[in-house]
Amino acid sequence: MKKIMLTAAAVMAFAFSNAQETKFGVKGGLNIANLGGDVEDTSSKIGFHVGGFAEFKISDKFAIQPELLFSTQGAKTEWSDEGVRVEEKLNLSYLNIPVMAKFYVAEKFSLEAGPQIGFLLSAKSKVEAGDFSDEVDVKDAYESIDFGVNFGAGYDFTENLSAGVRYNLGLSNIAKTEDGEDFKMNNSVFSVSVGYKF
């Protein structure tokens, strides 16, 4: 993972020094998040992301886009206990830093891929059953750093306004485990966003 991030840093340095054009912008949108690995019976949870980015245009066809995003992720589980519907939501908040390589396959349409590092800001488990509701801080049960890879596509409606879709596949185990315990949990997030370049 360290090699991936060092490579990303080197690519960013190269992009900055060789950029023909640099644009800054803001973006935000919807997350459809879930958890993979050894987790069972979870369903998707709706969240959001918001933040900023810089696009370093290397050529007409290629650009590097680092981003800084606040992202709400996690998953939810539902079951019935003596006829009472119980819902548990795991609410994870991250500060994510993706570095995307963008290839413009057409004038306004781009495909993108790149690594991402995420820093866990908070982790809370909320249980609701009938009139009962309780929220517990569970940050100590999760790793503070998450690594992943993103794949996506974008479309520039105008010189300033754009939209995109992206899938984030978590590569690291975010669950803290005891020695010898073989349990894996990773983030899985599909997102839709709108961006504005200045």
Side-chain angles (χ1 to χ4, degrees), residues 32-61:
I32 303 174
N34 207 335
L35 296 170
D38 297 325
V39 183
E40 296 180 353
D41 301 324
T42 62
S43 57
S44 297
K45 171 185 170 294
I46 302 299
F48 70 93
H49 62 275
V50 63
F53 63 89
E55 183 185 59
F56 301 101
K57 207 74 178 287
I58 308 302
S59 69
D60 291 340
K61 293 287 188 180

Side-chain angles (χ1 to χ4, degrees), residues 10-87:
V11 169
M12 283 177 60
F14 172 81
F16 184 78
S17 61
N18 291 274
Q20 295 179 357
E21 181 184 10
T22 301
K23 287 189 175 181
F24 297 91
V26 293
K27 66 181 294 186
L30 179 75
N31 286 345
I32 303 174
N34 207 335
L35 296 170
D38 297 325
V39 183
E40 296 180 353
D41 301 324
T42 62
S43 57
S44 297
K45 171 185 170 294
I46 302 299
F48 70 93
H49 62 275
V50 63
F53 63 89
E55 183 185 59
F56 301 101
K57 207 74 178 287
I58 308 302
S59 69
D60 291 340
K61 293 287 188 180
F62 187 70
I64 299 294
Q65 183 168 299
E67 302 174 359
L68 183 66
L69 304 173
F70 173 78
S71 179
T72 60
Q73 301 170 196
K76 66 180 181 180
T77 308
E78 296 180 5
W79 69 92
S80 181
D81 185 10
E82 296 182 355
V84 178
R85 176 177 167 275
V86 181
E87 181 182 80

